[in-house]
């Protein structure tokens, strides 16, 4: 077993509540925080719904489901994270917001050995570590959506992250949570998104240029390349705002045109067409 018994999570959206769920199912006490009590409780409701679905699939017993829920507490006060062994930031993919949050976390998390981690998809961890002022205990832990299902977590040590911190979180993620880990250098996009996002953006450009419809592009990749999901449905699932934000971060880092979000993607985000979470993206998710 690892030394991590209490995990704090900041951000009760899809990723944050998914991370909270896998931690609670692993027997770890979780404190889930968001900017308001209402949003935090909505995150808890999402966890309860996901656990119930797992029980109906036979993946959990009713007793295990009930126990997991008792391990999650929620609120809007970051000071509740003061005793956490590990705090995972899963807030909006915005560098300014994340750096401000890491400054605040360095003030409220009192144990100097506690690890501060980010679930960022693309922002260099060194920038967050500098904001925290305790870079030896800051690291990236990039989970994948949906967290209870996807087995991978990218572990991203920054230049000043201690080896002890890296080994501690890898042991926790691998042994306690049962996830597979890969270690990547602290570069925007890390491994997976550096490969994935240019592919998604290329599909957006094909729609924009009229090469093919969204339906035909996705069918081409599922039926022709055996991908489980086409690129545009995958972009909708991730969130078009998140895809655009990752593209921006990659373009800022590398200045490669293939990373730049296409105008069509920018206009969709500006128009609130964010994909599955808004009900409309390249495909419609609204009930008929």
């Amino acid at each position: 077993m690892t030394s991590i018994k209490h995990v704090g999570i900041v951000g009760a959206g899809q990723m944050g509540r998914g991370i909270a769920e896998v931690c609670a199912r692993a027997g770890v006490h979780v404190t889930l925080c968001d900017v308001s009590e209402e949003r935090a409780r909505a995150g808890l409701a999402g966890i309860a719904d996901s656990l119930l679905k797992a029980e109906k699939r036979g993946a959990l017993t009713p007793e295990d489901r009930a126990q997991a829920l008792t391990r999650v507490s929620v609120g809007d006060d970051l000071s509740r994270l003061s005793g956490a062994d590990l705090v995972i930031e899963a807030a909006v993919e915005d560098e300014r917001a994340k750096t401000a949050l890491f400054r605040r976390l360095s003030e409220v998390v009192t144990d100097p050995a506690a690890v501060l981690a980010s679930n960022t998809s693309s922002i260099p961890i060194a920038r967050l570590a500098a904001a925290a002022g305790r870079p030896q205990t800051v690291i990236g832990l990039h989970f994948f959506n949906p967290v209870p299902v996807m087995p991978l977590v990218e572990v991203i040590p920054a230049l000043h992250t201690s080896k002890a911190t890296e080994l501690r979180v890898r042991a926790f993620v691998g042994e306690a949570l049962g996830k597979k880990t890969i270690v990547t250098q602290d570069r925007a996009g890390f491994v997976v998104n550096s490969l994935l996002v240019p592919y998604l953006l290329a599909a957006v450009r094909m729609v924009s240029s009229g090469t093919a419809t969204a339906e035909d592009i996705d069918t081409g990749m599922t039926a022709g390349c055996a991908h489980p999901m086409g690129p545009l449905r995958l972009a909708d699932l991730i969130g078009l705002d998140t895809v655009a934000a990752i593209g921006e971060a990659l373009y800022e880092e590398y200045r490669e045109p293939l990373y730049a979000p296409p105008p069509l993607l920018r206009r969709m985000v500006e128009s609130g067409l964010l994909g599955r979470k808004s009900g409309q993206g390249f495909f419609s998710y609204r009930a008929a």
Side-chain angles (χ1 to χ4, degrees):
M1 292 295 290
T2 71
S3 60
I4 294 173
K5 307 296 184 184
H6 177 193
V7 174
I9 298 169
V10 183
Q14 191 168 29
M15 294 302 297
R17 65 177 180 252
I19 299 168
E21 178 184 337
V22 298
C23 290
R25 288 175 65 170
V28 177
H29 174 62
V30 177
T31 303
L32 179 64
C33 291
D34 211 310
V35 294
S36 70
E37 186 82 21
E38 181 181 11
R39 289 179 64 167
R41 292 198 173 279
L44 181 61
I47 293 169
D49 182 62
S50 179
L51 289 170
L52 184 59
K53 289 177 180 175
E55 179 189 329
K56 289 179 177 177
R57 293 195 307 270
L60 278 179
T61 66
E63 294 78 14
D64 287 342
R65 176 181 64 84
Q67 282 296 314
L69 272 177
T70 66
R71 298 185 188 109
V72 183
S73 61
V74 301
D76 59 358
D77 184 1
L78 290 180
S79 65
R80 298 179 63 175
L81 306 177
S82 62
D85 304 306
L86 166 65
V87 177
I88 303 173
E89 170 273 314
V92 62
E93 191 70 2
D94 176 87
E95 184 174 333
R96 185 173 299 178
K98 287 183 186 293
T99 52
L101 181 55
F102 269 77
R103 290 190 194 98
R104 177 62 178 149
L105 289 175
S106 70
E107 297 170 355
V108 301
V109 180
T110 55
D111 182 356
V115 178
L116 304 181
S118 178
N119 186 57
T120 179
S121 303
S122 58
I123 297 168
I125 303 303
R127 298 177 189 173
L128 305 180
R134 44 191 286 186
Q136 71 279 4
T137 57
V138 176
I139 198 166
L141 286 179
H142 181 216
F143 291 77
F144 291 81
N145 185 37
V147 179
V149 175
M150 299 296 283
L152 183 68
V153 177
E154 289 180 311
V155 178
I156 310 103
L159 291 176
H160 292 295
T161 304
S162 72
K163 194 64 178 179
T165 295
E166 178 188 336
L167 293 175
R168 188 182 185 197
V169 298
R170 287 187 70 187
F172 173 70
V173 172
E175 297 170 16
L177 304 187
K179 298 290 189 182
K180 183 181 291 292
T181 62
I182 60 173
V183 179
T184 172
Q185 289 186 357
D186 184 21
R187 297 182 180 181
F190 316 128
V191 170
V192 174
N193 279 322
S194 290
L195 293 169
L196 175 64
V197 170
Y199 161 65
L200 301 182
L201 298 180
V204 176
R205 292 187 185 96
M206 293 183 83
V207 174
S208 181
S209 67
T211 300
T213 65
E215 292 83 356
D216 284 350
I217 291 167
D218 273 20
T219 299
M221 297 309 295
T222 56
C225 294
H227 287 200
M229 183 181 292
L232 297 165
R233 284 195 185 277
L234 179 55
D236 279 352
L237 176 63
I238 295 168
L240 300 187
D241 52 341
T242 300
V243 173
I246 298 169
E248 293 279 10
L250 287 166
Y251 183 70
E252 179 186 349
E253 180 100 326
Y254 301 111
R255 296 298 172 184
E256 294 283 353
L258 77 165
Y259 292 129
L264 173 61
L265 182 61
R266 296 176 188 273
R267 297 296 90 76
M268 292 178 73
V269 171
E270 291 164 355
S271 301
L273 303 175
L274 307 181
R276 189 181 293 272
K277 62 186 172 185
S278 70
Q280 181 68 51
F282 288 99
F283 300 92
S284 177
Y285 304 92
R286 299 188 178 102

